[in-house]
Amino acid sequence: MRAAIGAYRPHPAAYAAAAVGLVVALGTGSPAYADETTGGDQSTTQPNTGSGQSDTDSGAESGSGSIGAHIRINQSAPASSGSTATATSSDANWKPPVCWYEPMYTPEEYEKFIKSAYGGAGEPAASYARKRDKENYHKGDKGLWWQVQFRDLTYDEACPVTTDNWEIWVPPADPQPDPNKVTPEILSDLAFNSTKLPTPPVELQPRADRLLVNLGTRVAFKGDLDRVWTTASLDYKGVQLAATTVATPVALKVDAGTADADPQSCTYDLVKGKDGYTADSEGAGCNVTYLRASGSGTYPFKASITWKVTWTDSADPDGPPREPGLPDGLSTFEQDVTVKEAQAVNR
């Protein structure tokens, strides 16, 4: 079963206090890491959090971004030319990972980092540095030091990693993998959390400021949608992992925004045509008829697309779906509508 919010906050207060103590002692919120291009050290003043978002709103053919230290996000360009928004989960209990371990250093790089970043630090950082020195940084062993990375600093759950294991040693054949090591499943969560979906391309006929009591309002679906895929990948120091989420539009739900409507809400199934997925709402039984005027106010009309989300453990969106599954995604369009009595309209 895919982890939910509870798996990511075992001891929030204890973790926060310990993390703050280590940060103060170090004078830095996160260890430096070796730049893969120049080979030099890059010191940071806080954990590398990434944006958690791709930049598909830039108008480029596809979106890209980064999370953590070396995780890359790439997203296909949405078929719709309308606005996009970050996908929301249909499962209110689902949360993306708060933190995870990524490969960062060879033993020699790790020794250099510890002696540079922790030199002269007070407790508890000094004890941490001594512990690593006693381990001789695993010099001569095959493997890498993996370091904790954070999705962002606004999470309301605690990271399960304790500050006495800010980094972990990972041999090539890991006999007991740490549950917080980055995996394709974790990458799929991060990809889903970074996905931007087109908002529903709907148009009200008559338009939103000209609706009349007892006059049918057609919810016209303007345009076609296609699936949206997002890949989260890691390729660093010989460690290669990837996961791709694929969001396929399956249904359009409309909500009139008031109980004084017939129907108050309804759902259209989306069907695949030659240009993508669409809904034919003309003559459909769930076009909205408002039964009461909105008076001096408005009704909050809402349309939302449900997207079936699957994932595969590669950069190929057509790869075989993997388990455990991801929740459905949602994209929403909201609009205030004005409904008047027919006799109040000037002709």
Side-chain angles (χ1 to χ4, degrees):
M1 181 176 181
R2 188 175 287 272
I5 184 171
Y8 288 96
R9 51 176 183 185
H11 302 291
Y15 175 80
V20 169
L22 182 58
V23 168
V24 171
L26 286 176
T28 177
S30 175
Y33 59 89
D35 180 86
E36 60 269 42
T37 303
T38 65
D41 285 344
Q42 293 183 337
S43 295
T44 58
T45 57
Q46 61 180 6
N48 189 331
T49 64
S51 66
Q53 307 294 338
S54 61
D55 58 4
T56 46
D57 285 339
S58 64
E61 189 168 307
S62 63
S64 63
S66 63
I67 300 176
H70 301 108
I71 294 174
R72 296 292 300 169
I73 300 292
N74 290 284
Q75 180 173 311
S76 61
S80 172
S81 60
S83 62
T84 62
T86 302
T88 57
S89 169
S90 62
D91 181 358
N93 292 320
W94 183 88
K95 297 290 183 182
V98 173
C99 62
W100 57 89
Y101 288 112
E102 287 184 38
M104 294 297 291
Y105 311 102
T106 64
E108 291 73 22
E109 289 170 340
Y110 188 54
E111 178 185 22
K112 180 180 178 182
F113 155 67
I114 288 290
K115 290 182 176 179
S116 172
Y118 288 67
E123 297 296 343
S127 295
Y128 184 85
R130 286 194 296 270
K131 179 176 75 169
R132 297 310 187 200
D133 188 63
K134 288 178 181 179
E135 296 169 341
N136 197 31
Y137 313 101
H138 280 277
K139 288 189 293 185
D141 297 335
K142 292 184 178 180
L144 293 170
W145 285 95
W146 291 42
Q147 183 184 82
V148 66
Q149 297 294 324
F150 293 86
R151 172 169 48 87
D152 58 44
L153 294 178
T154 62
Y155 52 82
D156 58 1
E157 318 101 274
C159 172
V161 175
T162 58
T163 52
D164 61 349
N165 277 312
W166 205 253
E167 295 90 19
I168 58 172
W169 171 253
V170 179
D174 197 355
Q176 292 182 315
D178 189 286
N180 300 302
K181 273 179 54 180
V182 68
T183 61
E185 184 178 335
I186 288 177
L187 289 176
S188 74
D189 288 337
L190 295 173
F192 180 45
N193 190 59
S194 299
T195 296
K196 289 184 179 293
L197 296 174
T199 54
V202 297
E203 179 183 284
L204 298 181
Q205 299 175 348
R207 69 190 199 196
D209 61 347
R210 294 191 176 182
L211 305 186
L212 299 177
V213 172
N214 294 325
L215 178 66
T217 301
R218 183 187 171 200
V219 183
F221 196 90
K222 293 291 187 178
D224 296 286
L225 296 173
D226 209 343
R227 66 177 190 167
V228 175
W229 58 260
T230 305
T231 297
S233 61
L234 172 70
D235 185 358
Y236 188 66
K237 293 190 180 297
V239 179
Q240 295 180 319
L241 298 170
T244 300
T245 60
V246 180
T248 303
V250 294
L252 166 68
K253 181 179 180 180
V254 298
D255 189 317
T258 174
D260 294 315
D262 182 26
Q264 181 180 348
S265 66
C266 58
T267 301
Y268 303 88
D269 291 331
L270 297 181
V271 295
K272 186 170 176 58
K274 67 175 184 178
D275 296 320
Y277 293 83
T278 189
D280 182 6
S281 63
E282 188 170 8
C286 63
N287 280 314
V288 176
T289 299
Y290 286 95
L291 307 177
R292 186 188 297 268
S294 57
S296 59
T298 58
Y299 294 134
F301 173 86
K302 181 168 71 174
S304 60
I305 299 288
T306 298
W307 302 73
K308 179 68 177 177
V309 181
T310 59
W311 71 280
T312 183
D313 56 354
S314 71
D316 180 9
D318 296 315
R322 299 301 186 187
E323 296 292 339
L326 284 160
D328 290 343
L330 299 173
S331 60
T332 303
F333 166 79
E334 296 187 21
Q335 183 177 22
D336 290 332
V337 300
T338 301
V339 182
K340 299 178 181 180
E341 295 286 354
Q343 63 269 26
V345 178
N346 294 323
R347 297 183 182 275

